[in-house]
Amino acid sequence: MDDPFLWLEQVDGPRALAWTEAENENTLGLLQSDPHYDRFYRDALKILQAKDRIPSVSLERQGLESCWQDESHVRGIWRRTTLESYRGQDPRWETILDIDALALAENKNWVDKGRSCLGRRCLVKLSDGGKDAVSIREFDSEAKSFIAGGFQLPEGKQSVSWIDRDTVLVARDWGEGTTTESGFPFVLKELKRAQPLDQAREVFRCQHTDFKTLPFVLGEGWMDVTGVVRQINGFERQYALFARAGPIALDLPKKALIVGIASGRLLVKLDEDWIRSGDTSFKAGSMISYDLAEWKQDPLRAKPSVVFQPNCRQALSGFGSTRKFLVLTILDNLQSKAFVLQVRSRCLACHTSPAAEECDRKPISHFR
């Protein structure tokens, strides 16, 4: 059956643009007819453009980094400062990459779609106009310039992850028959530095009916676990690790998400109940963890333990990790609470099981 809306896939097509403009006018007219619109708009704009708002930062190898937008940097500026400077009243920022200046120099409508970094080398993702398709270029964050002869992937719906300094995993449109019904890639390949795209080695192929395929790379300080995520639909996924004998499909439920590593533990968030073989079970909304060394040796036999399991009035709302600690934020009867958790013995957090004596959970703040 022909798709009557296939013309909407041509995001720059005249018919799609005309339809979008008409729908925007209708929506804006409806919003502006509300008597609260002008005040809400002015308040929101004031907050977004406030000079004294606290910049959100991430701790990187060269200091604290931030992506900042204001009226002078509409597209955004990737910048860096020191911890000492950030603590002051007027931090001194060093520009790493100015997206507005890049767009002007290249006559492109660049939108920053993020980056994946291995040390000082970063794979910068740029979208022309904000569409799903991105161009990817290798960038040196210390030299503050794109690397001549570095990795460069032409525009497409694609995902990329480092394996090592000279190798990446790429899921993209490799030609006819390599995208799903949703238009996303389902073929994953390994690409070496300076290697033409048509010589990349295929390492995994999912199904045409899936939503998309993503590279899966993990490591503490280095990328030492590689695999693939088969995104079945918007809610379900299946993980597989690459091994010498071939891919190993993990026995996680389909509504589970591997979210990272903290203190030598692999963290997994569950969005559905999970009953494992035997009498072990976990509730939806829980976070569980595996000993990373044990899991890497045999992911199918490694035993998970509970990090957080909600009661009927709780929900996990966020988390972050440092070298030695995991920070969890939860909603408890709609009140926000934060906890610092530290590894003791073979578990990462306290819970209501008999093993709780081995754990240490310290509440650091409660918010209303």
Side-chain angles (χ1 to χ4, degrees):
M1 179 178 178
D2 293 336
D3 185 351
F5 300 104
L6 194 61
W7 52 273
L8 283 171
E9 297 292 331
Q10 305 299 320
V11 294
D12 293 323
R15 187 181 176 188
L17 290 175
W19 178 86
T20 301
E21 184 176 355
E23 291 298 312
N24 285 343
E25 288 181 0
N26 290 337
T27 302
L28 188 59
L30 180 63
L31 292 174
Q32 290 178 335
S33 67
D34 189 295
H36 301 95
Y37 175 85
D38 286 338
R39 179 170 62 86
F40 287 169
Y41 178 82
R42 290 194 304 270
D43 290 347
L45 191 63
K46 182 179 179 180
I47 292 170
L48 286 171
Q49 295 183 346
K51 298 289 187 181
D52 60 348
R53 71 185 191 272
I54 300 174
S56 176
V57 295
S58 59
L59 179 60
E60 306 297 340
R61 61 195 300 269
Q62 293 296 317
L64 300 180
E65 295 184 4
S66 167
C67 292
W68 178 265
Q69 290 176 281
D70 56 30
E71 66 273 16
S72 300
H73 300 94
V74 178
R75 303 171 192 278
I77 183 170
W78 177 17
R79 59 188 191 170
R80 177 192 297 132
T81 190
T82 65
L83 178 59
E84 181 181 4
S85 179
Y86 182 72
R87 285 172 169 167
Q89 292 295 321
D90 188 19
R92 297 179 302 277
W93 294 98
E94 167 192 7
T95 298
I96 302 173
L97 179 62
D98 187 330
I99 304 297
D100 294 84
L102 181 68
L104 182 62
E106 299 183 349
N107 193 29
K108 290 284 190 178
N109 186 17
W110 286 137
V111 174
D112 183 10
K113 288 284 189 171
R115 64 201 61 86
S116 173
C117 297
L118 182 65
R120 62 189 287 175
R121 294 174 176 264
C122 299
L123 299 170
V124 175
K125 305 171 187 176
L126 298 168
S127 167
D128 190 1
K131 52 192 173 184
D132 288 335
V134 296
S135 300
I136 298 177
R137 284 187 266 172
E138 189 175 1
F139 186 85
D140 188 324
S141 63
E142 292 185 17
K144 305 172 196 171
S145 61
F146 289 100
I147 298 173
F151 285 109
Q152 187 163 335
L153 304 177
E155 182 181 81
K157 293 179 180 179
Q158 57 188 328
S159 300
V160 60
S161 290
W162 293 98
I163 294 180
D164 57 43
R165 179 187 174 96
D166 297 313
T167 315
V168 293
L169 283 177
V170 184
R172 60 171 285 120
D173 182 352
W174 300 99
E176 185 177 355
T178 63
T179 58
T180 67
E181 295 174 350
S182 301
F184 288 93
F186 70 91
V187 176
L188 183 68
K189 295 189 179 185
E190 180 186 89
L191 181 67
K192 297 288 186 179
R193 182 176 298 281
Q195 186 180 41
L197 282 177
D198 59 6
Q199 294 181 18
R201 181 176 67 91
E202 182 175 324
V203 293
F204 201 87
R205 180 177 291 250
C206 293
Q207 298 181 21
H208 176 65
T209 53
D210 290 340
F211 176 47
K212 62 180 175 181
T213 295
L214 298 166
F216 172 63
V217 180
L218 280 176
E220 281 191 310
W222 198 252
M223 311 305 189
D224 54 0
V225 177
T226 60
V228 62
V229 184
R230 176 190 166 207
Q231 191 78 41
I232 301 170
N233 51 48
F235 304 98
E236 297 179 317
R237 63 192 62 83
Q238 185 178 46
Y239 290 88
L241 299 185
F242 296 147
R244 291 182 180 179
I248 300 174
L250 301 184
D251 61 345
L252 293 170
K254 290 181 179 179
K255 292 183 179 179
L257 184 64
I258 296 178
V259 295
I261 297 172
S263 301
R265 306 285 299 184
L266 179 78
L267 304 175
V268 181
K269 184 177 179 294
L270 301 177
D271 292 323
E272 65 175 303
D273 292 342
W274 185 28
I275 301 176
R276 301 186 77 230
S277 57
D279 57 356
T280 306
S281 64
F282 304 98
K283 292 174 57 177
S286 297
M287 178 179 282
I288 62 175
S289 74
Y290 295 83
D291 179 271
L292 183 60
E294 180 184 1
W295 182 81
K296 285 166 61 177
Q297 186 174 5
D298 191 340
L300 300 182
R301 290 199 173 114
K303 295 182 179 180
S305 62
V306 174
V307 176
F308 167 77
Q309 182 164 282
N311 62 32
C312 61
R313 293 182 176 272
Q314 293 178 331
L316 179 65
S317 58
F319 61 91
S321 62
T322 68
R323 183 176 300 175
K324 296 182 180 180
F325 299 97
L326 175 69
V327 181
L328 291 185
T329 56
I330 69 169
L331 288 177
D332 190 348
N333 199 25
L334 297 182
Q335 292 186 10
S336 292
K337 298 180 180 181
F339 297 90
V340 172
L341 298 90
Q342 184 179 18
V343 172
R344 289 283 181 87
S345 183
R346 294 179 59 82
C347 58
L348 187 67
C350 283
H351 48 88
T352 57
S353 73
E357 293 80 10
E358 300 176 358
C359 309
D360 183 29
R361 184 176 69 176
K362 303 175 183 178
I364 57 173
S365 58
H366 292 177
F367 305 97
R368 289 189 178 273

